[in-house]
C-alpha cells in the first residue's frame, strides 16, 4: 500500500492548463485513479516548493513541456472510498493556467497519450470530472 492510499489527511497536488495558440495540452492518465481519462498534467507538491513551482516541475516531468504559470483557474477535491466507505484516497488539486514556452509534449509512464485540443473538444473525450470548466477558466486568464 502506498502512502497515497488511506491517507491521514488530504494530499496536496497541482495541475497545469497550458495554453498555446488557442489550444490546451491534455494528457491521458496512464495510472489510477482515472487511468484512461484525459486530464491536465500534474502531480504532488513537494515540501519547500511553491504551488507554481510544483505546477511547472510536474508539467516538465510528466510531459516535457515548459510553461509559465499565470494564476489559479480551478480547485477540486478527489475523494475515493472503498467498499467499506473508508476514504481510500483524498487529493486536493489546484489547477494553474499557464502560457506555453517550449516543448511539444511527450508520453511518459504517467501520460499514456497527449493532445493539444481546442477547449470545445473536451466533451468529445473521456475526461476527468470538471475538466471543461477548468479549461474555460484557464482561457479567461491566458487568452488565445
Amino acid at each position: 500500500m502506498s502512502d497515497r492510499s488511506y491517507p491521514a489527511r488530504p494530499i496536496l497536488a497541482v495541475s497545469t492548463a497550458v495554453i498555446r495558440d488557442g489550444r490546451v495540452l491534455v494528457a491521458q492518465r496512464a495510472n489510477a485513479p482515472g487511468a484512461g481519462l484525459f486530464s491536465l498534467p500534474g502531480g504532488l507538491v513537494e515540501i519547500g516548493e511553491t504551488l507554481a513551482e510544483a505546477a511547472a516541475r510536474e508539467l516538465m516531468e510528466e510531459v516535457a513541456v515548459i510553461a509559465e504559470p499565470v494564476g489559479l483557474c480551478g480547485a477540486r477535491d478527489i475523494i475515493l472510498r472503498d467498499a467499506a466507505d473508508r476514504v481510500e484516497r483524498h487529493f486536493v488539486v489546484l489547477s494553474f493556467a499557464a502560457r506555453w514556452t517550449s516543448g511539444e509534449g511527450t508520453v511518459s509512464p504517467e501520460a499514456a497519450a497527449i493532445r493539444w485540443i481546442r477547449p470545445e473538444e473536451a466533451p468529445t473525450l473521456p475526461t476527468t470530472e470538471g475538466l471543461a470548466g477548468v479549461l474555460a477558466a484557464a482561457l479567461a486568464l491566458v487568452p488565445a
Side-chain angles (χ1 to χ4, degrees), residues 30-119:
N31 306 309
L37 300 178
F38 281 89
S39 190
L40 299 174
L44 303 184
V45 178
E46 295 180 356
I47 296 294
E49 94 186 320
T50 67
L51 296 170
E53 289 168 346
R57 176 188 52 75
E58 282 289 344
L59 181 66
M60 182 59 191
E61 288 178 3
E62 193 167 318
V63 295
V65 168
I66 298 172
E68 173 193 349
V70 173
L72 290 171
C73 62
R76 183 165 175 252
D77 289 298
I78 301 171
I79 302 171
L80 304 174
R81 295 181 182 275
D82 65 14
D85 203 35
R86 294 181 303 157
V87 174
E88 184 174 354
R89 298 195 182 228
H90 184 171
F91 296 95
V92 175
V93 182
L94 300 176
S95 299
F96 277 84
R99 280 188 193 88
W100 176 82
T101 303
S102 66
E104 296 303 315
T106 61
V107 296
S108 71
E110 295 176 16
I114 59 150
R115 292 188 189 178
W116 289 94
I117 65 166
R118 297 213 174 275

Coordinates of all heavy atoms in Angstrom, one line a residue, residues 30-119:
A30 N -2.1 7.4 -17.3 CA -1.7 6.0 -17.5 C -2.0 5.2 -16.3 O -2.0 4.0 -16.3 CB -0.2 6.0 -17.8
N31 N -2.2 5.9 -15.1 CA -2.3 5.1 -13.8 C -3.6 5.6 -13.1 O -4.1 6.6 -13.4 CB -1.1 5.5 -12.9 CG 0.2 5.2 -13.6 OD1 0.4 4.1 -14.2 ND2 1.1 6.1 -13.7
A32 N -4.0 4.7 -12.2 CA -5.1 5.1 -11.3 C -4.7 6.2 -10.3 O -3.5 6.3 -10.0 CB -5.5 3.8 -10.5
P33 N -5.6 7.0 -9.9 CA -7.0 7.0 -10.2 C -7.2 7.6 -11.6 O -6.5 8.5 -12.0 CB -7.7 7.8 -9.1 CG -6.6 8.7 -8.6 CD -5.3 8.0 -8.8
G34 N -8.2 7.2 -12.3 CA -8.6 7.9 -13.6 C -7.8 7.4 -14.8 O -7.7 8.0 -15.8
A35 N -7.2 6.2 -14.7 CA -6.4 5.6 -15.8 C -7.3 5.6 -17.1 O -8.5 5.2 -17.0 CB -5.9 4.2 -15.5
G36 N -6.8 6.1 -18.2 CA -7.5 6.2 -19.5 C -8.3 7.5 -19.7 O -8.7 7.7 -20.8
L37 N -8.4 8.3 -18.7 CA -9.1 9.6 -18.8 C -8.1 10.7 -19.2 O -7.0 10.7 -18.8 CB -9.8 9.9 -17.6 CG -10.9 9.0 -17.1 CD1 -11.5 9.5 -15.7 CD2 -12.0 8.8 -18.1
F38 N -8.6 11.6 -20.0 CA -7.8 12.8 -20.3 C -7.9 13.8 -19.2 O -9.0 14.0 -18.7 CB -8.2 13.4 -21.7 CG -7.6 12.6 -22.8 CD1 -8.3 11.6 -23.4 CD2 -6.3 12.9 -23.3 CE1 -7.7 10.8 -24.4 CE2 -5.8 12.2 -24.4 CZ -6.5 11.2 -24.9
S39 N -6.8 14.4 -18.8 CA -6.8 15.4 -17.8 C -5.7 16.4 -18.0 O -5.0 16.3 -19.0 CB -6.6 14.7 -16.4 OG -6.8 15.6 -15.3
L40 N -5.4 17.2 -17.0 CA -4.3 18.1 -17.1 C -3.1 17.5 -16.5 O -3.2 16.8 -15.5 CB -4.6 19.4 -16.4 CG -5.8 20.2 -17.0 CD1 -6.1 21.4 -16.1 CD2 -5.5 20.7 -18.4
P41 N -1.9 17.7 -17.0 CA -0.7 17.1 -16.4 C -0.5 17.7 -15.0 O -0.8 18.9 -14.8 CB 0.4 17.6 -17.3 CG -0.2 17.9 -18.6 CD -1.6 18.4 -18.3
G42 N 0.0 16.9 -14.1 CA 0.2 17.4 -12.8 C 0.7 16.4 -11.8 O 0.9 15.2 -12.2
G43 N 0.8 16.7 -10.5 CA 1.2 15.8 -9.5 C 1.3 16.5 -8.2 O 0.8 17.6 -8.0
L44 N 2.0 15.8 -7.3 CA 2.1 16.3 -5.9 C 3.0 17.5 -5.7 O 4.0 17.6 -6.3 CB 2.5 15.1 -5.0 CG 1.7 13.9 -5.0 CD1 2.2 12.9 -4.0 CD2 0.2 14.2 -4.8
V45 N 2.6 18.3 -4.7 CA 3.5 19.4 -4.3 C 4.5 18.8 -3.3 O 4.2 18.1 -2.4 CB 2.7 20.5 -3.6 CG1 3.6 21.6 -3.1 CG2 1.6 21.0 -4.5
E46 N 5.8 19.2 -3.5 CA 6.9 18.7 -2.6 C 7.1 19.7 -1.5 O 6.9 20.9 -1.7 CB 8.1 18.4 -3.4 CG 8.0 17.3 -4.4 CD 9.2 17.0 -5.2 OE1 10.2 17.7 -5.1 OE2 9.2 16.1 -6.0
I47 N 7.6 19.3 -0.4 CA 8.0 20.1 0.7 C 9.0 21.2 0.2 O 9.9 20.9 -0.5 CB 8.7 19.3 1.8 CG1 7.7 18.3 2.4 CG2 9.2 20.2 2.9 CD1 6.5 18.9 3.1
G48 N 8.7 22.5 0.6 CA 9.6 23.6 0.3 C 9.4 24.2 -1.1 O 10.1 25.2 -1.4
E49 N 8.4 23.7 -1.9 CA 8.2 24.3 -3.2 C 6.8 25.0 -3.2 O 5.9 24.6 -2.5 CB 8.3 23.3 -4.3 CG 7.2 22.6 -4.8 CD 7.5 21.5 -5.8 OE1 8.4 21.7 -6.7 OE2 6.9 20.5 -5.8
T50 N 6.8 26.1 -3.9 CA 5.5 26.8 -4.1 C 4.6 26.1 -5.0 O 5.0 25.2 -5.7 CB 5.7 28.2 -4.6 OG1 6.2 28.1 -6.0 CG2 6.7 29.1 -3.8
L51 N 3.3 26.4 -5.0 CA 2.4 25.8 -5.8 C 2.7 26.0 -7.3 O 2.7 25.0 -8.1 CB 0.9 26.3 -5.6 CG 0.3 26.1 -4.2 CD1 -0.9 26.9 -4.0 CD2 0.1 24.6 -4.0
A52 N 3.1 27.2 -7.7 CA 3.5 27.5 -9.1 C 4.8 26.7 -9.5 O 4.9 26.2 -10.6 CB 3.8 29.0 -9.3
E53 N 5.7 26.6 -8.5 CA 6.9 25.8 -8.8 C 6.6 24.3 -9.0 O 7.1 23.7 -10.0 CB 7.9 25.9 -7.7 CG 8.6 27.3 -7.6 CD 9.4 27.5 -6.3 OE1 9.2 26.7 -5.3 OE2 10.2 28.4 -6.2
A54 N 5.7 23.8 -8.2 CA 5.2 22.4 -8.4 C 4.6 22.2 -9.7 O 4.8 21.2 -10.4 CB 4.3 22.0 -7.2
A55 N 3.7 23.2 -10.1 CA 3.0 23.0 -11.4 C 4.0 23.0 -12.5 O 3.8 22.1 -13.4 CB 2.0 24.2 -11.5
A56 N 4.9 23.9 -12.5 CA 5.9 23.9 -13.6 C 6.8 22.6 -13.6 O 7.1 22.1 -14.7 CB 6.8 25.2 -13.5
R57 N 7.2 22.2 -12.4 CA 8.0 21.0 -12.3 C 7.3 19.8 -12.8 O 7.8 19.0 -13.6 CB 8.5 20.8 -10.9 CG 9.3 19.5 -10.7 CD 9.6 19.2 -9.2 NE 8.4 19.2 -8.4 CZ 7.5 18.3 -8.3 NH1 7.6 17.2 -9.0 NH2 6.5 18.4 -7.5
E58 N 6.1 19.6 -12.3 CA 5.3 18.4 -12.7 C 5.0 18.4 -14.2 O 5.0 17.3 -14.8 CB 4.0 18.3 -11.9 CG 4.2 17.8 -10.5 CD 4.5 16.3 -10.4 OE1 4.3 15.6 -11.4 OE2 4.9 15.9 -9.4
L59 N 4.7 19.5 -14.8 CA 4.5 19.6 -16.2 C 5.7 19.2 -17.0 O 5.6 18.4 -17.9 CB 4.1 21.1 -16.6 CG 3.8 21.4 -18.0 CD1 2.6 20.7 -18.5 CD2 3.7 22.9 -18.2
M60 N 6.9 19.6 -16.6 CA 8.1 19.2 -17.3 C 8.4 17.7 -17.1 O 8.7 17.0 -18.0 CB 9.3 20.0 -16.7 CG 10.6 19.7 -17.4 SD 10.5 20.0 -19.2 CE 12.0 19.2 -19.7
E61 N 8.2 17.2 -15.8 CA 8.5 15.8 -15.6 C 7.5 14.9 -16.3 O 7.9 13.8 -16.8 CB 8.4 15.6 -14.0 CG 9.5 16.1 -13.3 CD 9.4 15.9 -11.8 OE1 8.4 15.3 -11.3 OE2 10.3 16.4 -11.0
E62 N 6.3 15.3 -16.3 CA 5.2 14.4 -16.9 C 5.2 14.4 -18.4 O 5.0 13.3 -19.0 CB 3.9 14.7 -16.3 CG 2.8 13.7 -16.5 CD 1.6 13.9 -15.7 OE1 1.7 14.2 -14.5 OE2 0.5 13.7 -16.3
V63 N 5.3 15.5 -19.0 CA 5.1 15.6 -20.5 C 6.2 16.4 -21.2 O 6.0 16.6 -22.4 CB 3.7 16.1 -20.8 CG1 2.6 15.2 -20.4 CG2 3.5 17.5 -20.3
A64 N 7.2 16.8 -20.5 CA 8.4 17.6 -21.2 C 7.9 18.9 -21.8 O 8.4 19.2 -22.9 CB 9.1 16.7 -22.1
V65 N 7.1 19.6 -21.2 CA 6.6 20.9 -21.7 C 7.0 22.0 -20.6 O 6.9 21.7 -19.4 CB 5.1 21.0 -21.9 CG1 4.6 22.4 -22.2 CG2 4.8 20.1 -23.1
I66 N 7.5 23.1 -21.1 CA 7.8 24.2 -20.2 C 6.8 25.3 -20.4 O 6.5 25.7 -21.6 CB 9.2 24.8 -20.5 CG1 10.2 23.7 -20.2 CG2 9.5 26.0 -19.6 CD1 11.7 24.0 -20.6
A67 N 6.2 25.8 -19.3 CA 5.2 26.9 -19.4 C 5.4 27.8 -18.2 O 5.9 27.4 -17.2 CB 3.8 26.3 -19.5
E68 N 4.8 29.0 -18.3 CA 4.9 30.0 -17.3 C 3.5 30.0 -16.6 O 2.5 30.5 -17.2 CB 5.2 31.4 -17.9 CG 5.1 32.5 -16.9 CD 5.1 33.9 -17.6 OE1 5.4 33.9 -18.8 OE2 4.8 34.8 -16.9
P69 N 3.4 29.6 -15.3 CA 2.1 29.7 -14.6 C 1.7 31.1 -14.5 O 2.5 32.0 -14.1 CB 2.4 29.0 -13.3 CG 3.6 28.1 -13.5 CD 4.4 28.8 -14.5
V70 N 0.4 31.4 -14.7 CA -0.1 32.7 -14.7 C -1.0 32.9 -13.5 O -0.9 34.0 -12.8 CB -0.9 33.1 -16.0 CG1 -1.6 34.4 -15.9 CG2 0.0 33.0 -17.2
G71 N -1.8 31.9 -13.1 CA -2.7 32.1 -12.0 C -3.6 30.8 -11.8 O -3.6 30.0 -12.7
L72 N -4.2 30.8 -10.7 CA -5.1 29.6 -10.4 C -6.4 29.7 -11.2 O -6.9 30.8 -11.4 CB -5.5 29.6 -8.9 CG -4.4 29.2 -8.0 CD1 -4.8 29.5 -6.5 CD2 -3.9 27.8 -8.2
C73 N -6.8 28.5 -11.8 CA -8.0 28.5 -12.6 C -9.0 27.4 -12.1 O -10.0 27.2 -12.8 CB -7.6 28.3 -14.1 SG -6.8 26.8 -14.5
G74 N -8.7 26.8 -11.0 CA -9.6 25.8 -10.5 C -9.1 25.1 -9.3 O -7.9 25.1 -9.0
A75 N -10.0 24.4 -8.6 CA -9.7 23.6 -7.4 C -10.7 22.5 -7.4 O -11.8 22.6 -7.7 CB -9.7 24.4 -6.1
R76 N -10.2 21.3 -7.0 CA -11.0 20.1 -7.0 C -10.6 19.2 -5.9 O -9.4 19.0 -5.6 CB -11.0 19.5 -8.3 CG -11.8 18.3 -8.4 CD -12.0 17.9 -9.9 NE -12.8 16.6 -9.9 CZ -12.3 15.4 -10.2 NH1 -11.0 15.3 -10.5 NH2 -13.1 14.4 -10.1
D77 N -11.6 18.6 -5.2 CA -11.4 17.5 -4.3 C -11.6 16.2 -5.0 O -12.6 16.0 -5.7 CB -12.4 17.6 -3.1 CG -12.1 18.7 -2.2 OD1 -11.0 18.7 -1.6 OD2 -13.0 19.6 -2.1
I78 N -10.7 15.3 -4.9 CA -10.8 13.9 -5.4 C -10.9 13.0 -4.2 O -9.8 12.8 -3.6 CB -9.7 13.6 -6.4 CG1 -9.7 14.5 -7.6 CG2 -9.9 12.1 -6.9 CD1 -8.5 14.4 -8.5
I79 N -12.0 12.5 -3.9 CA -12.2 11.6 -2.7 C -12.8 10.3 -3.2 O -13.9 10.3 -3.8 CB -13.1 12.3 -1.7 CG1 -12.6 13.6 -1.3 CG2 -13.3 11.3 -0.5 CD1 -13.6 14.4 -0.4
L80 N -12.0 9.2 -3.0 CA -12.4 7.9 -3.4 C -12.6 7.1 -2.2 O -11.7 7.1 -1.3 CB -11.4 7.3 -4.4 CG -11.0 8.1 -5.6 CD1 -9.9 7.4 -6.4 CD2 -12.2 8.2 -6.5
R81 N -13.7 6.3 -2.1 CA -14.0 5.5 -1.0 C -14.0 4.0 -1.4 O -14.3 3.7 -2.5 CB -15.4 5.9 -0.4 CG -15.4 7.3 0.1 CD -16.7 7.6 0.7 NE -16.7 9.0 1.2 CZ -16.3 9.4 2.4 NH1 -15.9 8.5 3.3 NH2 -16.4 10.6 2.8
D82 N -13.6 3.2 -0.4 CA -13.6 1.7 -0.7 C -15.0 1.1 -0.4 O -15.9 1.9 -0.1 CB -12.5 1.0 0.1 CG -12.7 1.1 1.6 OD1 -13.8 1.4 2.1 OD2 -11.7 0.8 2.3
A83 N -15.1 -0.2 -0.6 CA -16.4 -0.9 -0.4 C -16.9 -0.7 1.0 O -18.1 -0.7 1.3 CB -16.2 -2.3 -0.7
A84 N -16.1 -0.4 2.0 CA -16.5 -0.2 3.4 C -16.7 1.2 3.7 O -16.9 1.6 4.9 CB -15.5 -0.8 4.4
D85 N -16.7 2.1 2.7 CA -16.9 3.5 2.8 C -15.8 4.3 3.5 O -16.0 5.4 4.0 CB -18.3 3.8 3.4 CG -18.8 5.2 3.1 OD1 -18.6 5.7 1.9 OD2 -19.4 5.9 3.9
R86 N -14.6 3.7 3.6 CA -13.5 4.4 4.1 C -12.8 5.2 3.0 O -12.8 4.8 1.9 CB -12.5 3.4 4.7 CG -13.0 2.6 5.9 CD -11.9 1.6 6.4 NE -11.5 0.7 5.3 CZ -10.4 0.0 5.2 NH1 -9.5 0.1 6.2 NH2 -10.1 -0.8 4.2
V87 N -12.2 6.3 3.4 CA -11.6 7.2 2.4 C -10.3 6.5 2.0 O -9.3 6.4 2.8 CB -11.3 8.6 2.9 CG1 -10.5 9.4 2.0 CG2 -12.6 9.3 3.3
E88 N -10.3 6.0 0.8 CA -9.1 5.3 0.2 C -8.1 6.3 -0.3 O -6.9 6.1 -0.2 CB -9.5 4.3 -0.9 CG -8.4 3.5 -1.4 CD -8.8 2.5 -2.4 OE1 -10.0 2.3 -2.6 OE2 -8.0 1.8 -3.0
R89 N -8.6 7.4 -0.9 CA -7.7 8.4 -1.5 C -8.4 9.8 -1.3 O -9.6 9.8 -1.5 CB -7.4 8.2 -3.0 CG -6.7 6.9 -3.2 CD -6.1 6.8 -4.6 NE -5.4 5.6 -4.7 CZ -4.2 5.4 -5.2 NH1 -3.5 6.5 -5.6 NH2 -3.6 4.3 -5.3
H90 N -7.6 10.8 -1.0 CA -8.2 12.1 -1.0 C -7.1 13.1 -1.4 O -6.1 13.3 -0.7 CB -8.6 12.5 0.5 CG -9.3 13.8 0.6 ND1 -9.9 14.2 1.7 CD2 -9.4 14.8 -0.3 CE1 -10.4 15.5 1.5 NE2 -10.1 15.8 0.3
F91 N -7.3 13.7 -2.6 CA -6.4 14.7 -3.1 C -7.1 16.0 -3.2 O -8.3 16.1 -3.6 CB -6.0 14.3 -4.6 CG -5.1 13.0 -4.6 CD1 -5.8 11.8 -4.9 CD2 -3.8 13.1 -4.4 CE1 -5.0 10.7 -5.0 CE2 -3.0 11.9 -4.5 CZ -3.7 10.7 -4.7
V92 N -6.4 17.1 -3.0 CA -6.9 18.5 -3.2 C -6.0 18.9 -4.4 O -4.8 19.0 -4.2 CB -6.8 19.4 -2.0 CG1 -7.2 20.8 -2.4 CG2 -7.6 18.8 -0.9
V93 N -6.6 19.2 -5.5 CA -5.9 19.6 -6.7 C -6.2 21.0 -7.1 O -7.3 21.4 -7.3 CB -6.2 18.7 -7.9 CG1 -5.4 19.1 -9.1 CG2 -6.0 17.2 -7.6
L94 N -5.1 21.8 -7.1 CA -5.2 23.2 -7.5 C -4.7 23.3 -9.0 O -3.6 22.9 -9.2 CB -4.4 24.1 -6.6 CG -4.8 24.1 -5.1 CD1 -3.9 25.0 -4.3 CD2 -6.3 24.6 -5.0
S95 N -5.5 23.9 -9.8 CA -5.1 24.0 -11.3 C -4.6 25.4 -11.6 O -5.3 26.4 -11.2 CB -6.3 23.6 -12.1 OG -6.7 22.3 -11.9
F96 N -3.6 25.4 -12.4 CA -3.0 26.7 -12.9 C -3.2 26.8 -14.4 O -3.2 25.8 -15.1 CB -1.5 26.7 -12.6 CG -1.1 27.1 -11.3 CD1 -1.0 26.2 -10.2 CD2 -0.7 28.4 -11.0 CE1 -0.7 26.5 -9.0 CE2 -0.3 28.8 -9.7 CZ -0.3 27.8 -8.7
A97 N -3.5 28.0 -14.8 CA -3.4 28.4 -16.2 C -2.0 28.8 -16.4 O -1.3 29.4 -15.6 CB -4.3 29.6 -16.5
A98 N -1.4 28.5 -17.6 CA 0.0 28.8 -17.9 C 0.1 29.1 -19.4 O -0.6 28.5 -20.3 CB 0.9 27.6 -17.5
R99 N 1.1 30.0 -19.7 CA 1.5 30.3 -21.1 C 2.6 29.3 -21.5 O 3.6 29.2 -20.8 CB 2.0 31.7 -21.2 CG 1.0 32.7 -21.2 CD 1.7 34.1 -21.5 NE 0.7 35.1 -21.2 CZ 0.5 35.7 -20.0 NH1 1.3 35.4 -19.0 NH2 -0.4 36.6 -19.9
W100 N 2.4 28.7 -22.7 CA 3.3 27.7 -23.2 C 4.6 28.5 -23.5 O 4.6 29.6 -24.1 CB 2.8 27.1 -24.5 CG 3.7 26.3 -25.2 CD1 4.0 25.0 -25.0 CD2 4.5 26.6 -26.4 NE1 4.9 24.5 -25.9 CE2 5.3 25.5 -26.7 CE3 4.7 27.8 -27.1 CZ2 6.1 25.5 -27.8 CZ3 5.6 27.8 -28.2 CH2 6.3 26.6 -28.5
T101 N 5.8 27.9 -23.2 CA 7.1 28.4 -23.6 C 7.8 27.6 -24.6 O 8.3 28.0 -25.6 CB 7.9 28.6 -22.3 OG1 7.3 29.4 -21.3 CG2 9.3 29.2 -22.6
S102 N 7.9 26.2 -24.3 CA 8.5 25.3 -25.2 C 8.1 23.9 -24.9 O 7.6 23.6 -23.9 CB 10.0 25.5 -25.1 OG 10.5 25.0 -23.9
G103 N 8.4 23.0 -25.9 CA 8.1 21.6 -25.8 C 6.8 21.3 -26.5 O 5.8 22.0 -26.4
E104 N 6.9 20.2 -27.2 CA 5.7 19.7 -27.9 C 4.8 18.8 -27.0 O 3.7 18.5 -27.3 CB 6.0 19.0 -29.2 CG 6.7 19.9 -30.2 CD 5.8 21.1 -30.6 OE1 4.6 20.9 -30.8 OE2 6.4 22.2 -30.6
G105 N 5.5 18.2 -26.1 CA 4.9 17.2 -25.2 C 5.2 15.8 -25.6 O 5.4 15.5 -26.8
T106 N 5.5 14.9 -24.6 CA 5.8 13.5 -24.9 C 5.1 12.7 -23.9 O 4.7 13.1 -22.8 CB 7.3 13.3 -24.8 OG1 7.7 13.6 -23.4 CG2 8.2 14.1 -25.7
V107 N 4.9 11.4 -24.3 CA 4.3 10.4 -23.4 C 5.3 10.1 -22.4 O 6.5 10.3 -22.6 CB 3.8 9.2 -24.2 CG1 2.6 9.6 -25.1 CG2 4.9 8.5 -24.9
S108 N 4.8 9.5 -21.3 CA 5.7 9.1 -20.2 C 5.0 8.0 -19.4 O 3.9 7.6 -19.7 CB 5.9 10.3 -19.2 OG 4.7 10.6 -18.5
P109 N 5.7 7.5 -18.3 CA 5.0 6.5 -17.5 C 3.7 7.0 -16.9 O 2.8 6.2 -16.5 CB 6.0 6.2 -16.4 CG 7.3 6.5 -17.1 CD 7.1 7.7 -17.9
E110 N 3.5 8.3 -16.8 CA 2.3 8.9 -16.2 C 1.3 9.3 -17.3 O 0.1 9.5 -17.0 CB 2.6 10.0 -15.3 CG 3.4 9.6 -14.1 CD 3.9 10.8 -13.2 OE1 3.3 11.9 -13.4 OE2 4.8 10.6 -12.4
A111 N 1.8 9.6 -18.5 CA 0.9 10.1 -19.5 C 0.9 9.1 -20.7 O 1.9 9.1 -21.5 CB 1.4 11.5 -20.0
A112 N -0.1 8.4 -20.9 CA -0.2 7.4 -22.0 C -0.3 8.0 -23.4 O 0.2 7.5 -24.4 CB -1.3 6.4 -21.8
A113 N -0.9 9.2 -23.4 CA -1.0 9.9 -24.7 C -1.2 11.4 -24.3 O -1.5 11.8 -23.2 CB -2.3 9.5 -25.4
I114 N -0.8 12.3 -25.3 CA -1.0 13.7 -25.1 C -1.7 14.2 -26.4 O -1.6 13.7 -27.5 CB 0.3 14.5 -24.8 CG1 1.2 14.3 -26.0 CG2 0.9 14.1 -23.5 CD1 2.1 15.5 -26.2
R115 N -2.5 15.3 -26.2 CA -3.1 16.0 -27.3 C -3.2 17.5 -26.9 O -3.4 17.9 -25.8 CB -4.6 15.5 -27.4 CG -4.7 14.1 -27.9 CD -6.2 13.9 -28.2 NE -6.4 12.5 -28.5 CZ -7.5 11.9 -28.7 NH1 -8.6 12.7 -28.8 NH2 -7.6 10.6 -29.0
W116 N -3.0 18.3 -28.0 CA -3.3 19.7 -27.9 C -4.7 19.9 -28.5 O -4.9 19.6 -29.6 CB -2.3 20.5 -28.7 CG -0.9 20.6 -28.1 CD1 0.1 19.7 -28.4 CD2 -0.4 21.5 -27.2 NE1 1.2 20.1 -27.7 CE2 0.9 21.1 -26.9 CE3 -1.0 22.5 -26.5 CZ2 1.7 21.8 -26.0 CZ3 -0.2 23.2 -25.6 CH2 1.1 22.9 -25.3
I117 N -5.7 20.3 -27.6 CA -7.1 20.4 -28.1 C -7.6 21.8 -27.9 O -7.1 22.6 -27.1 CB -8.0 19.4 -27.3 CG1 -8.0 19.8 -25.8 CG2 -7.5 18.0 -27.4 CD1 -9.1 19.1 -25.0
R118 N -8.7 22.1 -28.7 CA -9.4 23.3 -28.5 C -10.4 23.0 -27.3 O -10.8 21.8 -27.2 CB -10.2 23.6 -29.8 CG -9.3 23.9 -30.9 CD -9.9 25.0 -31.8 NE -9.0 25.4 -32.9 CZ -8.0 26.3 -32.7 NH1 -7.9 26.9 -31.6 NH2 -7.2 26.6 -33.7
P119 N -10.6 23.9 -26.5 CA -11.5 23.6 -25.3 C -12.8 23.0 -25.6 O -13.3 22.2 -24.9 CB -11.7 25.0 -24.7 CG -10.4 25.8 -25.1 CD -10.1 25.3 -26.5

